[in-house]
Amino acid sequence: MSFINYASREINCKIVYYGPGLCGKTTNLQFVYQKTAAEAKGKMISLATETERTLFFDFLPLALGEIRGFKTRFHLYTVPGQVFYDASRKLILKGVDGVVFVADSQEERMDANIESVENLRINLAEQGYDLDKIPYVVQYNKRDLPNAVTVEELRRELNPTNVPDFEACATTGEGVFETLKAIAKLILFDLKKGK
């Protein structure tokens, strides 16, 4: 649920990167952070415990324009990947405006991907959201690895509703900004509709 700051004339939107452990959520955020101009971004904050880590930062993209005279600031979050940290995941999803599901393309991670998508759907429902009705994109990460399954198989298993999806290699940045731009556009479209 976007938050409007009238003093700074900004609409604040929350994007959550969701997916199984070690799929590349953190690498996505780190790449975006490194490539974003210093004057357009806030500090990257890492909430790390002994066993889990959540990253977040905000940025003000200059190219996306304004809505009714307000600039749009995006707050990017990652969730801990392991199912064990479900309470943290639920908390991070609170007030979400859009979700990027980061899938690990490796064949041996398919079950973890499927479990994570189901977990996302359940956790969103508990917050009063429907995955089929909020801005949502899928990123197939680690496309550079030799044991990556085909995009067709990933789509069949993880994207049955045909939301926008992207091939990526977060370590090199391939597909990272395309994914972010797509979710940002879907959120802005939702805002303009007056949701």
Side-chain angles (χ1 to χ4, degrees):
M1 183 98 165
S2 52
F3 164 75
I4 300 175
N5 182 335
Y6 289 95
S8 62
R9 301 206 47 83
E10 288 178 356
I11 299 171
N12 291 270
C13 301
K14 183 176 186 178
I15 298 173
V16 174
Y17 282 68
Y18 208 95
L22 304 175
C23 66
K25 301 176 298 290
T26 297
T27 309
N28 264 276
L29 257 66
Q30 288 170 333
F31 188 84
V32 170
Y33 190 79
Q34 289 167 1
K35 299 294 182 188
T36 301
E39 65 276 4
K41 67 185 176 189
K43 279 195 169 71
M44 180 177 281
I45 298 167
S46 177
L47 300 176
T49 65
E50 208 173 289
T51 50
E52 68 174 322
R53 178 175 56 168
T54 299
L55 280 180
F56 64 93
F57 73 95
D58 65 292
F59 75 106
L60 188 65
L62 305 172
L64 292 177
E66 298 184 352
I67 297 174
R68 296 184 197 100
F70 285 80
K71 294 184 179 104
T72 311
R73 179 175 296 275
F74 290 97
H75 299 261
L76 275 55
Y77 288 77
T78 62
V79 296
Q82 292 73 17
V83 179
F84 182 76
Y85 302 109
D86 209 35
S88 296
R89 289 183 185 183
K90 288 177 186 175
L91 195 61
I92 293 163
L93 282 172
K94 205 170 185 70
V96 69
D97 292 295
V99 175
V100 173
F101 184 82
V102 182
D104 189 324
S105 291
Q106 297 177 92
E107 188 175 3
E108 63 271 18
R109 300 296 290 153
M110 190 60 89
D111 288 345
N113 287 327
I114 293 167
E115 180 183 10
S116 193
V117 168
E118 289 169 2
N119 178 260
L120 169 61
R121 192 172 288 281
I122 291 164
N123 285 343
L124 282 170
E126 285 183 19
Q127 303 279 350
Y129 299 103
D130 180 346
L131 184 59
D132 299 325
K133 294 190 175 137
I134 66 166
Y136 175 57
V137 300
V138 177
Q139 181 190 82
Y140 308 119
N141 194 26
K142 302 186 182 183
R143 295 304 304 153
D144 58 322
L145 297 181
N147 55 343
V149 297
T150 65
V151 171
E152 291 72 30
E153 186 177 342
L154 289 164
R155 277 191 182 121
R156 188 173 54 251
E157 295 292 335
L158 305 173
N159 190 7
T161 57
N162 289 320
V163 298
D165 58 7
F166 302 87
E167 293 184 55
C169 175
T171 53
T172 64
E174 180 188 331
V176 170
F177 275 101
E178 292 82 352
T179 303
L180 177 58
K181 284 178 191 162
I183 193 65
K185 282 182 180 172
L186 288 173
I187 291 169
L188 291 175
F189 182 74
D190 251 22
L191 286 172
K192 285 178 180 167
K193 280 194 318 193
K195 276 187 99 178

